[in-house]
Amino acid sequence: KGPRTPLSLEQVQQLQGCVGDRVKVHYTPVDHGSFEVVLDAFMASDRMRHLDAQMHRELFEEITFPDCGDDMQEGIDVRTLELSSKDQRMIRVLQRDDAVQLLSELDVGHRLGEGTRKSLLASSGIVTVGISGAGTFEDFVEGGIALEQVWLTATMLGLRMQPWTPLFGYTHSRSELSQMIGPSRCSELYPKGQAALDVLGLKDHKYVFSFRVHQGSPHTAISERHKPVMRSVGST
C-alpha cells in the first residue's frame, strides 16, 4: 500500500501521451468527488468474485504459497501482494472453499469487499485504459498493446501499479454479465458497474484494463515466476 499523494499533471500527461489516438487513459484520484461510486462497484465485484464457487477456485489456483510447497515459478506469489499480517491470515480463511460456500449460502459476506476499499483508498487512485470502436478482437489487441505502454511508462515514472479489474470490465452487456454471475447478482452489479465506468471516464470507450496506482516505496518481494521463453516463428 502507498500514500494517497495524487499524480502530478505532468505524470498524467505522460501516461496519456504514450498511446495512440483511439486509446483513452483516464486517471481518477481518490479525492475525486465521485470516487465512492467506484469503490462501491469494485467492492461489490470483488465480493461476488469470492462468493462464486468457480471464480473463487480459479482465483486461488493462481496464487502460490511458499510454505505450502507450491512451485513459486508458476502463478502469483502471495508475497508480492504485499499483505499485512492480518490480511495474510484472512487470505488463508478465504482460501477454504467450505468457508466461502457457507458465506454464500447464508447470503452474508458483505465485509469481503472491505479489503478492496482499504487498498484503493491507500493509493493515488485508479488509472483506466479504454479504446474506441465496436469492441472487435482487433480493438482489444490494440488496447492490450496500449496498456503495456502505460505500464512501462508508469514504471519509468517510478509509479507502482497493481492490476485491479472488476467483473463488469470483462463483459460488454447486461446479458453477458448475467451469464457470468447469474441474474440476481447481475441486477446488483450491472448498474453499479455502469456508474463506475462513467466516473472512470469510459462512457464512450470500451473498457480494457484498470490499475491501482501509488507513489510509494518499491515492492518488498520480487516474483520468482519463470521468464517467458521467446521462440521464433516456425520453431518447435
Side-chain angles (χ1 to χ4, degrees):
K1 297 176 175 60
R4 295 180 59 169
T5 308
L7 303 189
S8 68
L9 177 59
E10 180 181 358
Q11 287 173 322
V12 175
Q13 289 176 338
Q14 289 194 55
L15 293 177
Q16 293 173 335
C18 72
V19 295
D21 294 338
R22 296 184 59 220
V23 178
K24 182 171 185 179
V25 178
H26 186 83
Y27 167 57
T28 308
V30 293
D31 58 359
H32 187 284
S34 298
F35 198 76
E36 189 68 32
V37 173
V38 177
L39 282 178
D40 188 39
F42 276 52
M43 289 171 63
S45 172
D46 284 355
R47 174 170 54 83
M48 293 177 189
R49 194 193 305 267
H50 280 297
L51 294 178
D52 182 271
Q54 179 178 342
M55 285 188 282
H56 174 266
R57 182 170 57 255
E58 291 174 350
L59 172 64
F60 281 94
E61 283 177 350
E62 294 184 35
I63 300 177
T64 55
F65 296 85
D67 58 348
C68 292
D70 293 339
D71 183 354
M72 304 311 295
Q73 294 185 330
E74 301 290 341
I76 301 172
D77 186 337
V78 69
R79 295 171 295 185
T80 65
L81 300 180
E82 306 281 346
L83 300 174
S84 65
S85 297
K86 180 180 179 181
D87 288 339
Q88 289 178 37
R89 293 192 296 270
M90 178 59 71
I91 200 171
R92 293 293 191 177
V93 176
L94 293 177
Q95 187 183 15
R96 294 179 49 182
D97 292 338
D98 57 344
V100 175
Q101 183 62 31
L102 180 60
L103 292 175
S104 180
E105 291 175 356
L106 297 176
D107 195 26
V108 292
H110 296 288
R111 292 185 61 83
L112 290 175
E114 286 303 312
T116 301
R117 169 183 284 274
K118 182 170 65 173
S119 293
L120 291 179
L121 287 178
S123 73
S124 301
I126 296 176
V127 172
T128 311
V129 180
I131 189 164
S132 61
T136 64
F137 174 79
E138 290 76 13
D139 290 336
F140 286 105
V141 168
E142 184 176 344
I145 294 172
L147 78 85
E148 289 184 345
Q149 294 282 8
V150 172
W151 184 288
L152 291 173
T153 301
T155 301
M156 181 189 68
L157 294 172
L159 302 176
R160 312 302 170 195
M161 306 282 274
Q162 179 183 9
W164 211 298
T165 298
L167 295 176
F168 51 83
Y170 294 110
T171 59
H172 298 152
S173 66
R174 188 184 192 112
S175 62
E176 286 187 6
L177 184 61
S178 180
Q179 291 175 21
M180 176 186 288
I181 61 177
S184 177
R185 287 176 178 159
C186 176
S187 65
E188 175 189 352
L189 185 58
Y190 183 76
K192 291 183 178 183
Q194 292 303 295
L197 290 175
D198 284 351
V199 176
L200 295 173
L202 297 185
K203 186 175 183 179
D204 300 317
H205 291 72
K206 300 295 183 183
Y207 177 96
V208 174
F209 217 70
S210 53
F211 307 90
R212 170 186 174 274
V213 60
H214 68 88
Q215 304 189 71
S217 56
H219 300 297
T220 60
I222 303 298
S223 173
E224 299 176 15
R225 184 183 297 190
H226 279 299
K227 294 181 178 180
V229 177
M230 304 299 293
R231 297 180 184 273
S232 61
V233 176
S235 65
T236 58

